[in-house]
Amino acid sequence: MFNAVVISVLVMVILSLLRINVIFALLMAALTAGIMSGMSFSESTKILIDGMANQSGTALSYVLLGIFAVMIGMSGITTILVNKMLTLFSGKRTILVLSIAGIAIFSQNLIPVHIAFIPILIPPLLGLFDKLQIDRRAVAAALTFGLKFPYITIPVGFGLIFQGIIKDEMIDNGMQITSNEVTQAMIFPGTAMIIGLLVAVLITYRKKRIAKSVVDYQTQDIDMADSIAEKKEVVFNYMHFFTIIAIIAALAVQLITKSLVLGALAGIIIMFATRVVKFYQGDKVVNEGIGMMGMIAFVMLIASGYAKVLTESGAVNELVEMTLNFTGDSKFIIAVLLLGVGLVITMGIGTSFGTIPILAALYIPVLTAAGMSPLASAALIGTAAALGDAGSPASDSTLGPTAGLNYDGKHHHIWDTCVPTFLHYNIPLFIIGVIAAMVL
């Protein structure tokens, strides 16, 4: 009950719900974990700072993607896209939200750019969302679904990596399983994600946002929203052509080099070289790019440091050992406690990919002793890893949507992204994960 992981995650969640900035919440959670594990303040801080280096490349790539997104917006090509969408989706609020979920799905496999598309696509659409009075929490749920569902269920792109980690870690810990079996097992959490999306879009956030809610979409006006509302006509020109070339080049370089940093740099260089963006505008695009994605980059850095504090403290192993003392050989209890621990760990670490090795190493012996089949074990490990990723203040599955939806300052990270995605996805994931353990 008083495990350092549990207490520190509670500190992070409570502070975040009290609207304290997620950076301060993560810092306090990391220091709490360190102190409760017997570390000094200075030792906890040192480990935190050392751990931040693990995500330095990711943070840099996010900042560069923000700069690239601003440059694309300056070219005017997004106005053409938004005008087309305004005509196509006029009055079709639900279809628009589901279409965004579809685009997000393609970002994980067909064109594996992960969250890179969000700062490019979403900010120009904010005026359209306001015009159609779409509840942005529905859009946040759609984006998070598109970022999570593919890697959970589809063995292509990031999904191939995720399911490959599950297979490799299970085999390394003594349980044989094939890639096809992992894919079969992950149908269960994938189904849970679909249920969560449909409930969020078709039921919970189907109605127009009430003005007295957390934010009032009509209280602020920005030039971008005004221009979209007026539906200005933009004629395709050479700047748009070179912008498309830059986007294609950025994608190609990323896929070839496996580096978001090099991909974003390639796009930025082409935009400058072709004079789509002038050199003297460099300060402007950097400032706006950092303003758009700098927050998410810094949160990822601190989250990485927090994760290192948790692992260095030994509290994760202690939490698992405590949990195993209560399981016995009941498949139901094992499933419930395993998923509960996975939720707590992933909420703190903020990455489902990074949670798999921890859970596999600690739980495979228990699952084997309890007679769990490889399919049931894969479903439990995969679901436990995914739990918490949706809803974690430190997860890119929530930080990415917020970065786009809060471009005009009308979307709150915790209450408008984290809480809605936590409720709509983690609850069905937990329930169906237990069912998978019982039937597979």
Side-chain angles (χ1 to χ4, degrees):
M1 184 67 182
F2 295 101
N3 176 269
V5 175
V6 175
I7 298 301
S8 68
V9 169
L10 286 175
V11 168
M12 178 187 66
V13 171
I14 291 171
L15 291 178
S16 296
L17 291 175
L18 291 174
R19 293 180 174 275
I20 293 175
N21 188 278
V22 65
I23 288 179
F24 297 126
L26 281 169
L27 288 173
M28 293 304 298
L31 291 175
T32 299
I35 297 302
M36 289 192 64
S37 302
M39 303 178 188
S40 64
F41 277 109
S42 59
E43 186 180 3
S44 300
T45 304
K46 183 179 184 304
I47 294 175
L48 172 71
I49 295 173
D50 289 343
M52 290 171 65
N54 294 333
Q55 287 291 341
S56 57
T58 302
L60 177 60
S61 67
Y62 285 172
V63 170
L64 290 176
L65 285 171
I67 294 171
F68 187 36
V70 170
M71 297 173 83
I72 291 173
M74 290 175 64
S75 74
I77 195 170
T78 51
T79 304
I80 296 177
L81 172 62
V82 172
N83 286 343
K84 294 293 184 182
M85 296 185 75
L86 181 59
T87 301
L88 184 62
F89 295 109
S90 179
K92 302 174 182 177
R93 297 160 61 244
T94 301
I95 295 177
L96 173 58
V97 174
L98 292 177
S99 297
I100 290 173
I103 293 172
I105 288 175
F106 292 144
S107 74
Q108 305 301 298
N109 42 58
L110 183 63
I111 306 176
V113 295
H114 195 36
I115 68 168
F117 78 97
I118 293 178
I120 296 172
L121 177 66
I122 299 302
L125 289 175
L126 296 180
L128 175 58
F129 295 158
D130 291 355
K131 183 178 180 66
L132 297 178
Q133 293 185 284
I134 292 175
D135 192 324
R136 293 190 192 180
R137 292 172 295 182
V139 181
L143 287 169
T144 298
F145 171 84
L147 295 174
K148 285 180 62 65
F149 174 80
Y151 77 71
I152 290 176
T153 56
I154 305 173
V156 178
F158 291 107
L160 184 63
I161 298 173
F162 182 78
Q163 295 187 15
I165 294 174
I166 294 177
K167 184 197 75 170
D168 293 342
E169 292 297 330
M170 289 181 66
I171 293 174
D172 289 346
N173 287 279
M175 183 175 286
Q176 296 300 313
I177 190 169
T178 66
S179 297
N180 288 337
E181 287 176 325
V182 173
T183 301
Q184 293 173 33
M186 296 309 289
I187 291 175
F188 282 83
T191 301
M193 291 293 298
I194 294 174
I195 293 172
L197 173 69
L198 294 178
V199 171
V201 175
L202 301 181
I203 300 175
T204 310
Y205 305 124
R206 183 173 180 270
K207 296 181 179 179
K208 299 176 181 179
R209 188 74 181 267
I210 300 174
K212 293 183 179 181
S213 189
V214 180
V215 294
D216 179 359
Y217 295 146
Q218 305 304 317
T219 57
Q220 301 182 47
D221 291 311
I222 57 174
D223 293 339
M224 184 181 296
D226 290 339
S227 64
I228 294 172
E230 294 170 7
K231 194 183 175 183
K232 293 181 178 178
E233 291 296 331
V234 178
V235 179
F236 190 88
N237 56 43
Y238 79 95
M239 294 177 63
H240 303 143
F241 172 77
F242 284 122
T243 300
I244 293 175
I245 296 297
I247 294 172
I248 294 174
L251 174 60
V253 172
Q254 178 198 323
L255 294 178
I256 293 171
T257 65
K258 310 297 181 184
S259 171
L260 279 173
V261 171
L262 292 178
L265 272 176
I268 291 171
I269 290 171
I270 291 175
M271 295 287 275
F272 275 128
T274 57
R275 306 290 289 169
V276 173
V277 177
K278 309 300 186 292
F279 287 113
Y280 69 83
Q281 296 175 307
D283 288 342
K284 177 182 178 181
V285 297
V286 170
N287 290 335
E288 292 187 11
I290 292 176
M292 178 187 295
M293 297 295 283
M295 176 68 175
I296 179 175
F298 208 74
V299 168
M300 292 296 291
L301 287 174
I302 298 178
S304 178
Y306 175 34
K308 185 166 184 178
V309 172
L310 292 181
T311 54
E312 291 285 331
S313 70
V316 173
N317 291 354
E318 179 186 318
L319 174 61
V320 174
E321 290 173 4
M322 292 167 52
T323 303
L324 297 181
N325 291 332
F326 296 97
T327 60
D329 58 359
S330 168
K331 291 184 178 181
F332 176 79
I333 296 177
I334 288 175
V336 170
L337 292 182
L338 186 153
L339 292 174
V341 171
L343 172 62
V344 172
I345 294 174
T346 311
M347 279 286 290
I349 295 177
T351 168
S352 52
F353 287 74
T355 307
I356 296 173
I358 298 173
L359 294 177
L362 298 170
Y363 278 91
I364 287 296
V366 179
L367 296 174
T368 302
M372 289 278 195
S373 69
L375 280 173
S377 300
L380 278 175
I381 292 172
T383 304
L387 270 170
D389 193 20
S392 171
S395 168
D396 52 8
S397 295
T398 57
L399 288 166
T402 297
L405 292 167
N406 193 44
Y407 185 80
D408 58 359
K410 301 179 185 179
H411 187 88
H412 193 269
H413 179 56
I414 301 300
W415 288 105
D416 290 336
T417 297
C418 294
V419 172
T421 54
F422 183 95
L423 294 175
H424 286 90
Y425 295 125
N426 288 332
I427 291 176
L429 275 169
F430 198 101
I431 293 172
I432 292 183
V434 172
I435 294 174
M438 303 300 293
V439 302
L440 288 176

